[in-house]
Amino acid sequence: MAAAATGGGLGAIAGAVTHGWKEVPGKVATPAKDAIRAIGGNGLYFGLVGATFAGTEYVAEQMRGTKDILNGAIAGCAAGSLAGFRAGSLPATFGGCIAAASLVTIYDMTRSTEKPEEMIQASLRKLKGEQQENLEQLQG
């Protein structure tokens, strides 16, 4: 919930700044309704991105039963995909997923006390174990 509120607040600020840049000296000012639409639209979008990230990270952690860098990458992909979805472009959706997942992974790796190689190996071992469990459930 805090992620959605933070994202919404930042989006509202971004909307206000963007709307202010659209104003051209010497032209008729844009009505307040347009300003509110720009601020509210960006606030809602960034709030949705924050909520998507936080919600997806939580669900990934609960489903996988572990807290590691892969959860952040999954959440980053989901949140980053919204940018391409908003633009209506499938390539931009995939690009947003890859870019956001990469940034979140890099961030998680830089704030951890573990070495990056150890973090990656641990996540891969957990992922391999999950795949083995799923295979056993399907066979059993």
Side-chain angles (χ1 to χ4, degrees), residues 2-139:
T6 302
L10 292 174
I13 292 168
V17 170
T18 302
H19 182 72
W21 281 337
K22 288 182 180 179
E23 296 297 322
V24 179
K27 290 203 171 193
V28 178
T30 305
K33 187 168 95 173
D34 290 342
I36 292 170
R37 186 178 296 133
I39 292 168
N42 281 326
L44 182 63
Y45 172 68
F46 281 99
L48 181 62
V49 169
T52 299
F53 180 86
T56 305
E57 187 174 40
Y58 175 78
V59 169
E61 184 178 325
Q62 295 302 310
M63 288 181 69
R64 296 181 65 240
T66 184
K67 187 171 186 170
D68 62 6
I69 61 171
L70 188 56
N71 296 338
I74 293 168
C77 178
S81 295
L82 292 178
F85 184 76
R86 185 181 191 195
S89 167
L90 190 59
T93 301
F94 287 120
C97 167
I98 292 167
S102 300
L103 288 173
V104 170
T105 301
I106 290 168
Y107 173 76
D108 284 347
M109 292 175 97
T110 58
R111 69 184 183 128
S112 176
T113 57
E114 287 183 83
K115 292 181 179 178
E117 301 85 26
E118 294 170 358
M119 293 176 72
I120 293 170
Q121 290 299 323
S123 289
L124 290 175
R125 280 192 301 274
K126 289 176 189 173
L127 196 56
K128 190 174 182 180
E130 291 169 11
Q131 289 174 342
Q132 186 64 35
E133 287 176 16
N134 291 338
L135 185 61
E136 290 171 2
Q137 287 177 353
L138 289 173
Q139 291 174 346

